[in-house]
Amino acid sequence: MIKNIVYAVVFSVTVFANAQTPTTDTKMSIDEVVTVDDIEWGWLNPLRRDKSPSAGKLWGDRTKNEPAGFLVKFKKGFLSPPHIHNITYRGVVIQGLLHNDDEHAEKQWLPAGSFWQQPAGEVHITAADDTENMAFLDIQEGPYLVKPTSEAFDNEERPINVDKTNLVWLNANDIQWVDKKSNVQTAFLWGNHQENQLRATLLKIPAGFKGSIKNLSKNFRAVVISGKITHQFFKKGDKNVLESGSYFSAKENTITKITTDTETVIYIRSNGGFKVD
């Protein structure tokens, strides 16, 4: 009997460790704005303190078992030891040059606007090579932990590194939920477009845009990757200038008014659709 219990525990731990990343987020988003000045910063890995990158909270708590989004700043010349993470994360470079790959791989420096995915359990290193380096990280579960290579495992997901020059941008004519007159372009990053499934999209908004984004799902979160926008919740909230690294979320059916003076790229993570007018 005791042996059977031990086998059951080992089996359950193995299944958990090798489970794939959740494809839904049941937490309902709220109407919220976090400007660059509002961000609270700390150490990504508190045990290493100043040898660790710094991390700034956008939403959620990366130390708990819940979805979270946060910024990470790396000093020039940063090079991590080989390690794994217990969960999968996705990242978008906001500033500088970053490399994330196997320790023996030739450096592939990803510039601002690039995207990568790091699967749970996969051994890798992270490096930075510019004066100032910053990325946005998105996790669907937590806590976000750094673990030794001896604990490596295969969760059947694979790493992805996409230089900004390899992103495929679709014009508004190709997308039903983007108004053709807006000249907004779209690049799909991850997830799928089945009902209530998580997906992430980049929107490239042209300079001089005056329009809106209507959230049609239970969960909608957006991060400014480059450029800046003037943001206002339709017919009510204050206007806020959101620069690179800023964040806003919206409740279902909330209309967000947006204007731009310069071309701006926004990362949108949603549990369903949205509409750009």
Side-chain angles (χ1 to χ4, degrees):
M1 181 67 178
I2 294 177
K3 181 183 290 187
N4 291 337
I5 293 174
V6 171
Y7 284 158
V9 171
V10 171
F11 176 76
S12 64
V13 170
T14 302
V15 170
F16 176 79
N18 291 277
Q20 290 188 315
T21 305
T23 59
T24 58
D25 184 351
T26 58
K27 188 171 184 178
M28 296 178 65
S29 54
I30 62 174
D31 292 341
E32 181 181 27
V33 174
V34 177
T35 68
V36 170
D37 293 336
D38 295 330
I39 297 172
E40 300 176 5
W41 290 91
W43 299 116
L44 182 63
N45 185 351
L47 295 178
R48 300 192 73 203
R49 297 189 61 79
D50 59 353
K51 293 182 180 179
S52 164
S54 54
K57 175 183 175 180
L58 296 180
W59 76 83
D61 186 340
R62 69 181 187 276
T63 68
K64 297 180 180 179
N65 186 16
E66 63 183 38
F70 50 99
L71 302 178
V72 182
K73 287 183 179 180
F74 303 86
K75 296 179 181 178
K76 180 177 175 61
F78 173 82
L79 177 63
S80 74
H83 63 282
I84 71 162
H85 297 286
N86 59 312
I87 50 92
T88 294
Y89 75 85
R90 282 104 177 190
V92 180
V93 183
I94 293 179
Q95 187 177 18
L97 295 167
L98 295 177
H99 167 79
N100 196 84
D101 209 332
D102 180 88
E103 62 178 308
H104 302 296
E106 184 177 348
K107 294 292 191 296
Q108 178 186 349
W109 295 112
L110 297 177
S114 301
F115 164 75
W116 83 95
Q117 173 177 296
Q118 182 57 51
E122 183 92 8
V123 177
H124 65 287
I125 62 169
T126 303
D129 195 46
D130 209 342
T131 304
E132 295 183 349
N133 307 275
M134 183 167 70
F136 158 70
L137 300 190
D138 187 340
I139 63 174
Q140 316 317 325
E141 58 185 335
Y144 174 93
L145 301 175
V146 177
K147 294 194 170 187
T149 59
S150 59
E151 297 186 32
F153 60 90
D154 183 359
N155 78 336
E156 300 182 357
E157 296 175 338
R158 295 295 175 256
I160 300 171
N161 286 283
V162 183
D163 188 283
K164 66 174 295 185
T165 59
N166 289 327
L167 290 171
V168 177
W169 291 97
L170 300 177
N171 294 318
N173 290 335
D174 303 312
I175 305 295
Q176 295 181 351
W177 35 267
V178 176
D179 187 273
K180 295 180 180 179
K181 298 178 182 179
S182 69
N183 293 320
V184 171
Q185 293 181 297
T186 303
F188 299 113
L189 295 183
W190 58 267
N192 65 65
H193 284 251
Q194 295 178 3
E195 186 177 1
N196 298 324
Q197 295 293 294
L198 274 172
R199 79 286 303 262
T201 305
L202 291 180
L203 290 187
K204 184 185 292 184
I205 303 174
F209 175 84
K210 294 182 179 180
S212 64
I213 300 176
K214 182 178 181 179
N215 171 35
L216 303 175
S217 70
K218 302 291 185 183
N219 193 292
F220 175 98
R221 305 182 187 280
V223 179
V224 179
I225 301 301
S226 64
K228 66 178 180 179
I229 63 172
T230 299
H231 171 285
Q232 182 183 28
F233 288 121
F234 197 66
K235 293 183 179 179
K236 54 176 183 179
D238 297 333
K239 290 184 178 181
N240 289 283
V241 176
L242 303 185
E243 301 173 319
S244 298
S246 300
Y247 156 74
F248 67 94
S249 61
K251 294 188 295 188
E252 188 173 11
N253 295 320
T254 290
I255 297 176
T256 302
K257 186 177 180 182
I258 289 175
T259 59
T260 62
D261 293 326
T262 184
E263 182 180 271
T264 300
V265 174
I266 299 176
Y267 173 98
I268 295 181
R269 170 194 183 278
S270 64
N271 228 41
F274 58 89
K275 186 176 181 180
V276 181
D277 289 313

